[in-house]
Amino acid sequence: EQNMILVTVGIPPGFELLAEDLDAYVAEQTLSHYETTGRQLTLYLQSLAAHEQRGFSYRLRATMPVRASDGGASAHPYYQPAQQVEAAATMLTASE
């Protein structure tokens, strides 16, 4: 089991996070905490058992017509950044 896992997800330019989806995960204690900083969303998980998978759904709202990359995602134990794993970027398109 790993304690305090950080998951960082990019927020593409031209999009904003709709936080109520993540607030629900915090309320049910599936997610310890989250924060947004600039173009990134950081999720904090209190613990994760070996071979456990946990998924989170959240919504973004387009603020303008744009085609932009989210920059990908990464995850690692808080005190062990060398154990980082990464996911490829996703391209999002918003049109009028």
Side-chain angles (χ1 to χ4, degrees):
E1 181 170 306
Q2 289 289 339
N3 293 318
M4 195 48 81
I5 307 297
L6 272 70
V7 179
T8 304
V9 181
I11 299 174
F15 290 85
E16 64 184 7
L17 174 70
L18 300 177
E20 59 266 16
D21 298 326
L22 297 173
D23 291 339
Y25 291 121
V26 172
E28 65 187 26
Q29 298 181 345
T30 305
L31 185 61
S32 300
H33 176 72
Y34 71 89
E35 64 186 14
T36 56
T37 54
R39 307 258 33 95
Q40 290 188 329
L41 165 64
T42 303
L43 308 174
Y44 296 86
L45 289 75
Q46 187 62 38
S47 63
L48 193 65
H51 305 291
E52 179 183 355
Q53 294 182 9
R54 199 175 302 172
F56 298 96
S57 296
Y58 59 91
R59 293 173 292 155
L60 299 173
R61 177 184 2 232
T63 58
M64 66 180 84
V66 66
R67 183 169 196 271
S69 170
D70 66 4
S74 65
H76 66 83
Y78 188 81
Y79 295 108
Q80 298 166 331
Q83 293 184 9
Q84 180 169 302
V85 294
E86 296 183 356
T90 299
M91 189 64 68
L92 288 90
T93 302
S95 56
E96 289 189 62

